[in-house]
């Protein structure tokens, strides 16, 4: 106990709360992977996380809050990866091609779930800003290669199309081929 009589220091409660939120988000992504986005409810997520429904709603009051948090966790991971590609001295298009191949290949079920969450944004406006982050990150990466807005838009569209095509064709994809497609989009 601390001098104020608190049973636990505030930083310990904060860390425990952050861990619980992360567990709930991970459970949400697992539910989307298994059942699709339509299967996400506080009850299904709580069951997946091994907690009560009331605890799930304590951390994420609405279903939109839960879906935004799950999609944000996905977007944050991609933002970090794309930031590494931007900051590296290597071939940025090759880095993007490898990321696309990696994302849509080995972790196919998870990638399909992530795509489904992003697609859900068309029906749930609260998700749209988060769903746009992939496109914004790729555009930022392309801005390091060219200042032509048409070329940037072409690469962004190509990256979206490549991810979707790999997922539909049951990936994996050859990063060299993907890089060539992205290079063509950059030039055209």
């Amino acid at each position: 106990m601390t001098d104020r009589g608190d049973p636990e220091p505030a930083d310990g409660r904060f860390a425990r709360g952050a861990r619980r939120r992360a567990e709930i988000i991970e459970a949400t992504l697992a539910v989307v992977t298994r059942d699709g986005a339509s299967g996400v409810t506080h009850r299904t997520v709580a069951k997946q996380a091994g907690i009560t429904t009331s605890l799930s709603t304590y951390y994420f009051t609405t279903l939109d809050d839960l879906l935004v948090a799950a999609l944000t966790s996905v977007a944050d991971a991609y933002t970090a990866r794309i930031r590494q590609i931007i900051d590296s001295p290597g071939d940025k298009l090759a880095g993007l091609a490898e990321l696309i191949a990696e994302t849509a290949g080995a972790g196919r079920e998870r990638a399909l779930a992530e795509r489904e969450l992003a697609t859900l944004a068309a029906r749930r406006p609260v998700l749209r800003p988060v769903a746009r982050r992939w496109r914004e990150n790729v555009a930022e990466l392309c801005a390091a290669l060219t200042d032509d807005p048409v070329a940037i838009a072409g690469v962004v569209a190509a990256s979206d199309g490549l991810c979707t095509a790999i997922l539909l064709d049951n990936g994996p994809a050859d990063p060299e081929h993907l890089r060539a497609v992205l290079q063509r989009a950059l030039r055209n």
Side-chain angles (χ1 to χ4, degrees):
M1 298 214 16
T2 63
D3 291 33
R4 295 181 301 164
D6 290 339
E8 178 180 19
D11 57 346
R13 286 190 308 270
F14 178 77
R16 191 175 67 246
R19 277 192 311 275
R20 178 65 70 184
R21 286 178 62 83
E23 291 167 0
I24 295 169
I25 290 168
E26 194 56 39
T28 302
L29 293 171
V31 169
V32 174
T33 302
R34 185 187 67 227
D35 303 333
S38 62
V40 175
T41 66
H42 279 291
R43 179 169 289 151
T44 58
V45 169
K47 185 177 179 183
Q48 179 71 35
I51 61 173
T52 64
T53 302
S54 61
L55 192 55
S56 173
T57 57
Y58 172 79
Y59 285 100
F60 300 99
T61 308
T62 68
L63 196 55
D64 279 344
D65 293 340
L66 186 58
L67 292 168
V68 166
L71 192 53
T72 298
S73 76
V74 169
D76 288 349
Y78 287 120
T79 297
R81 292 288 304 280
I82 290 176
R83 172 63 39 212
Q84 289 173 342
I85 295 168
I86 291 170
D87 293 342
S88 75
D91 182 345
K92 293 175 187 352
L93 286 182
L96 179 58
E98 289 169 11
L99 177 59
I100 292 169
E102 204 177 284
T103 299
R108 179 172 162 58
E109 290 79 17
R110 182 64 171 257
L112 283 167
E114 292 168 357
R115 275 284 159 173
E116 186 169 346
L117 274 177
T119 302
L120 185 63
R123 296 187 312 271
R124 293 183 101 104
V126 70
L127 297 177
R128 289 181 190 151
V130 184
R132 281 194 293 263
R133 283 187 46 198
W134 166 267
R135 297 174 67 79
E136 292 166 353
N137 290 329
V138 173
E140 183 181 350
L141 186 151
C142 294
L145 301 170
T146 181
D147 58 357
D148 179 1
V150 174
I152 291 171
V155 174
V156 170
S159 72
D160 273 349
L162 289 168
C163 284
T164 302
I166 293 167
L167 289 170
L168 292 175
D169 293 340
N170 203 20
D174 174 25
E176 288 301 316
H177 170 72
L178 296 175
R179 187 199 177 288
V181 172
L182 293 169
Q183 184 66 45
R184 226 178 353 259
L186 187 62
R187 283 196 309 261
N188 295 336

